């Protein structure tokens, strides 16, 4: 986590440099961990912000900035509870001098990849399934984040006052909504009011806000984290079916010479990176993920490698395989740092003039660092790891077949690439 924060540009030294012209600039940076677990990345980053704020006498306003800009999502309720607790402990001393009153810890129980959709005759909806049934919100409303936030806040206020559905209906009438959108919101209000009247408490608006947080919270300057590594065949069948459209959208189904899932072991981390890069990262922002190193080598990663090479600017990859940083696991650990140079929807040569040059740079050789050493205690600090290992930084990764990113990528010294290509040919 420390290494990824450094590599994306969130080292303490970089925070200092950002603050030279405007001391508040580092506090305004938006950082997301979309698979936050217990909150490791966020807590480490908060500690860097606290150190910066102390040096620049900004601790009295720091809590406000952190709560606005340092955000986490996770699908596991226990992980979310743990991360919220760790987050609160990390900023507790700041809250006493902030004067903020009641606060919301910005760790949300949400699926970063996908909110389930459902198409009906009149409208397309996002669906949230709960123990009390389905909640439906029209896609057009959900994608207008300011509008959705405003409607949910007003709905909460009307529920607390026990207002009748007719009163809520008149409240939303000024909004530019079609008849089916209005009806769906009124139906939602009736359902929530019925739950309220039957003593099933008032948590449902918060639950809806949590589930839709990936839409409500907007885009970020930096995304960091450790996405889930799960093989396709180990996902629940319903999730496989509902996410298949996204695999196709990002070209991740491509296998050398054919397409489809087949029996190839595709890893969810590939879709997770593509989706977070697309939905949550600002243009000019950077994403740093821990990822299974096999995606750079295997047939299953062909479409993913093509996505990286053609849609992102790849800054560096790390090979941490010999260090085995995850206790009790034999997975092949790697790191990748990428930058968004333009939105995916605008990624053609006319709208994004820089993309052709970026693709060429990616194909000519990506900076690559190999860490050599024995298995290391996961609690070892980054500084200590650097002292007891050797890292080879003068390497690059290039496709085995020139200009074909779907082919496996090899790890070589730049001066022997041409010789290897001659041998392969």
């Amino acid at each position: 986590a420390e290494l990824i924060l450094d590599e994306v540009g969130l080292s303490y030294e970089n925070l200092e440099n950002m603050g030279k012209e405007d001391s508040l600039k580092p506090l305004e940076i938006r950082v997301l961990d979309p698979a936050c677990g217990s909150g490791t990345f966020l807590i480490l980053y908060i500690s860097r912000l606290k150190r910066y704020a102390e040096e620049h006498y900004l601790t009295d306003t720091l809590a406000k900035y952190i709560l606005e800009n340092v955000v986490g999502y996770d699908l596991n309720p226990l992980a979310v509870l743990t991360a919220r607790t760790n987050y609160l402990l990390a900023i507790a001393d700041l809250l006493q001098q902030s004067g903020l009153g009641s606060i919301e810890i910005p760790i949300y129980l949400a699926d970063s990849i996908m909110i389930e959709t459902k198409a009906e005759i009149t409208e397309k909806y996002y669906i949230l399934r709960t123990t009390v049934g389905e909640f439906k919100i029209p896609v057009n409303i959900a994608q207008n984040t300011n509008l959705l936030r405003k409607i949910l806040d007003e709905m909460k206020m009307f529920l607390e006052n026990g207002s009748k559905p007719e009163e809520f209906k008149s409240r939303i009438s000024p909004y530019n909504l079609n008849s089916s959108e209005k009806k769906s919101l009124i139906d939602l209000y009736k359902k929530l009011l019925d739950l309220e009247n039957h003593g099933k408490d008032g948590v449902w608006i918060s639950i809806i806000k949590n589930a839709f947080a990936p839409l409500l919270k907007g885009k970020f300057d930096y995304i960091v984290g450790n996405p889930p590594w799960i093989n396709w065949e180990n996902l629940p069948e319903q999730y496989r079916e509902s996410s298949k459209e996204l695999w196709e959208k990002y070209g991740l189904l491509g296998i050398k010479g054919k397409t489809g899932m087949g029996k190839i072991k595709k890893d969810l981390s590939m879709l997770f990176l593509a989706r977070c890069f697309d939905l949550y990262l600002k243009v000019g922002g950077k994403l740093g993920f821990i990822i299974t190193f096999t995606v750079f080598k295997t047939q299953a990663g062909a479409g993913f490698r093509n996505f990286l090479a053609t849609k992102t600017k790849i800054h560096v990859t790390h090979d941490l395989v010999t260090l085995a940083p995850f206790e009790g696991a034999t997975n092949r650990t790697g790191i990748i740092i990428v930058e968004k140079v333009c939105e995916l929807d605008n990624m053609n040569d006319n709208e994004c003039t820089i993309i052709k040059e970026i693709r060429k740079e990616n194909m000519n050789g990506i900076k690559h660092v190999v860490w050599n050493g024995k298995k290391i205690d996961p609690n070892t600090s980054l500084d200590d790891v650097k002292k007891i290992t050797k890292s080879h930084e003068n390497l690059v990764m290039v496709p085995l077949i020139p200009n074909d990113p779907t082919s496996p990528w090899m790890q070589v010294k730049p001066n022997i690439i041409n010789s290897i290509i001659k041998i392969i040919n």
Side-chain angles (χ1 to χ4, degrees), residues 24-25 29 78 102 165 256 410 417 421:
L24 288 176
K25 188 177 179 182
I29 293 167
L78 185 58
S102 64
K256 199 68 178 155
M410 53 184 176
I417 292 174
I421 289 170

Side-chain angles (χ1 to χ4, degrees), residues 9-23 26 48 51-56:
L10 293 174
S11 66
Y12 180 75
E13 290 71 26
N14 278 3
L15 294 177
E16 281 284 351
N17 288 332
M18 288 180 205
K20 282 182 178 176
E21 290 184 12
D22 178 2
S23 61
R48 295 182 181 197
R51 180 183 166 195
Y52 173 84
E54 285 165 4
E55 292 286 330
H56 295 268

Side-chain angles (χ1 to χ4, degrees), residues 139-151:
V139 166
N140 288 339
I141 292 175
Q143 290 179 344
N144 184 339
T145 54
N146 288 332
L147 177 60
L148 177 58
R149 192 181 294 114
K150 198 169 184 179
I151 286 172

Side-chain angles (χ1 to χ4, degrees), residues 29 31 42 45-46 49 65-72 87 106:
I29 293 167
V31 177
L42 301 177
Y45 176 59
I46 287 171
L49 282 180
Y65 284 103
I66 289 175
L67 290 165
E68 287 175 358
N69 298 319
V70 184
V71 179
Y87 195 112

